[in-house]
Amino acid sequence: MAKQEAENLSVVVHGVQDLRLEKRPVPEPGPNEVLLRMHSVGICGSDVHYWQKGRIGDFVVKKPMVLGHEASGTIVKVGSSVTHLKPGDRVAIEPGVPRETDEFCKTGRYNLSPTIFFCATPPDDGNLCRFYTHNANFCYKLPDNVTFEEGALIEPLSVGIHACRRAGVTLGSRVFICGAGPIGLVSLLVAKAMGAAHTVICDLSAPRLEKAKEVGADFTLQISSETPQQIAQKVGDLLGCMPEITIECTGAESCIQTGIYATRSGGTLILVGMGPAMVNIPIVDAAVREVDIRGIFRYCNTWPMAISMLSSGRVNVAPLVTHRFPLEQALEAFETTRKGLGVKVMLKCDQSDQNP
């Protein structure tokens, strides 16, 4: 590796509103790891939250931490025990890697393992840098017709897959989605791919609803000052009936209330958005109408499905990328995300290849 290339420029949060570009050493892969030249890394709301607030719930930034967990890159070196990948392979990175084979791993729900490693969740470093090592079993080879950016977008897409699986979306489902940010939009894409017949998505922002229409929403609903009951009524009017499934992607108390009122009796409400720890909700309304309320935490076993969806053309995530910045302009990119401009901001980490 040439000297200039071997400088590992990294985006590091040091504390509240303290984000820096730093040069760090290029790491060596362990026996079961690969060294990656990072290509595309998306900025997530959680990255911005750690920068602005220094914490998310119980996860507190106590020492400098590299941000980034929506990522893809090219393998440049493999560890001694790695046999299924080789230098030159283009891969998407699953950021959550179990550290032990506990009861959650044994039942296939490794995302719930309390000791899991997760990129850019304190104290674990993320991959918003030039070079990064990761467990080889959680790097997935990208087909030639899937771009690096699409590979990086598998991470948010996985949230949508996990939400739709937990919701039981199937042929003919009617689905209501609260929030048209990146996670609301990927949930919409996945719901349609899984056979949802009619979808309605709501948001405060007209441009985001335009994007939702562009990627396949059947109905959009711009919210202003309506009560949760009024929004639920409007959703029912648009669909011609109440939806069997609601996917709540904002975390806002009023939206969770809306989700309960809007979901038909016997249906399912999926809580995806992370909001305040305590909220007031009409729980009795949910109970007497047998509305199941289910949470999701990240995802598990989703990368193979996501890669198939992208490669086959069943899902198109490309329109979600609205801004691109070279890694050197990371601070500007974070500011763009903080201001809520566009949908997905993508950082390009490879100086020699800034293509999608």
Side-chain angles (χ1 to χ4, degrees):
M1 258 181 267
K3 172 79 185 83
Q4 187 217 355
E5 235 194 8
E7 285 183 339
N8 192 15
L9 193 66
S10 306
V11 179
V12 184
V13 64
H14 280 255
V16 178
Q17 295 182 17
D18 184 359
L19 190 64
R20 306 180 202 175
L21 271 167
E22 294 177 358
K23 287 175 180 168
R24 291 190 161 198
V26 175
E28 272 295 309
N32 295 304
E33 292 181 331
V34 291
L35 174 66
L36 298 143
R37 175 185 284 110
M38 300 306 297
H39 187 287
S40 296
V41 182
I43 300 178
C44 172
S46 69
D47 292 317
V48 175
H49 207 85
Y50 282 123
W51 162 43
Q52 289 293 303
K53 305 285 188 205
R55 68 183 300 155
I56 295 177
D58 295 335
F59 297 108
V60 182
V61 177
K62 292 176 180 163
K63 65 177 180 65
M65 176 180 81
V66 179
L67 289 172
H69 60 266
E70 306 179 356
S72 63
T74 305
I75 293 174
V76 289
K77 196 172 184 182
V78 299
S80 56
S81 303
V82 177
T83 54
H84 69 292
L85 295 169
K86 63 185 187 305
D89 284 346
R90 301 161 60 251
V91 296
I93 298 167
E94 180 172 359
V97 180
R99 286 187 167 99
E100 56 184 317
T101 311
D102 59 14
E103 57 179 313
F104 298 106
C105 288
K106 288 176 185 172
T107 55
R109 300 181 74 176
Y110 56 87
N111 57 313
L112 302 178
S113 176
T115 58
I116 195 168
F117 165 91
F118 198 89
C119 292
T121 296
D124 302 331
D125 281 328
N127 44 33
L128 191 39
C129 47
R130 292 236 197 273
F131 295 97
Y132 170 74
T133 54
H134 199 69
N135 184 308
N137 290 316
F138 288 78
C139 294
Y140 298 82
K141 219 171 143 174
L142 291 173
D144 292 341
N145 68 341
V146 177
T147 67
F148 281 112
E149 282 188 1
E150 289 168 333
L153 286 166
I154 290 174
E155 196 277 345
L157 185 64
S158 286
V159 177
I161 292 172
H162 194 49
C164 289
R165 277 180 178 170
R166 295 258 301 149
V169 176
T170 186
L171 285 170
S173 297
R174 278 157 293 214
V175 180
F176 168 41
I177 297 165
C178 284
I183 296 300
L185 295 174
V186 291
S187 298
L188 169 66
L189 287 169
V190 175
K192 298 290 287 184
M194 287 184 172
H198 296 104
T199 54
V200 57
I201 188 165
C202 73
D203 202 281
L204 297 162
S205 159
R208 288 198 157 180
L209 291 174
E210 273 305 305
K211 182 62 78 172
K213 204 79 181 151
E214 184 192 324
V215 300
D218 298 295
F219 305 102
T220 59
L221 179 58
Q222 190 171 3
I223 306 301
S224 53
S225 56
E226 299 90 336
T227 65
Q229 287 100 326
Q230 287 169 332
I231 298 166
Q233 178 68 50
K234 286 185 174 183
V235 169
D237 291 345
L238 285 170
L239 289 173
C241 63
M242 293 166 82
E244 298 96 335
I245 290 162
T246 298
I247 301 175
E248 203 299 296
C249 300
T250 72
E253 179 176 274
S254 62
C255 294
I256 301 171
Q257 294 167 353
T258 300
I260 289 175
Y261 291 130
T263 307
R264 79 155 56 180
S265 299
T268 303
L269 166 63
I270 298 287
L271 302 179
V272 183
M274 296 288 236
M278 298 292 268
V279 290
N280 287 305
I281 57 167
I283 196 73
V284 174
D285 184 273
V288 298
R289 297 193 302 107
E290 295 191 5
V291 172
D292 291 349
I293 301 174
R294 293 184 153 201
I296 71 156
F297 185 59
R298 298 170 179 160
Y299 33 67
C300 58
N301 308 305
T302 54
W303 258 251
M305 178 191 270
I307 289 169
S308 298
M309 283 175 149
L310 293 170
S311 183
S312 66
R314 293 277 299 165
V315 165
N316 180 16
V317 289
L320 301 184
V321 180
T322 53
H323 295 74
R324 294 176 179 87
F325 293 88
L327 184 61
E328 296 85 341
Q329 292 174 25
L331 303 182
E332 197 184 324
F334 268 79
E335 200 53 49
T336 302
T337 309
R338 187 186 67 79
K339 289 176 181 163
L341 303 174
V343 179
K344 181 56 71 176
V345 176
M346 196 64 70
L347 278 157
K348 313 304 289 185
C349 303
D350 186 344
Q351 285 170 298
S352 61
D353 180 12
Q354 301 274 303
N355 297 309

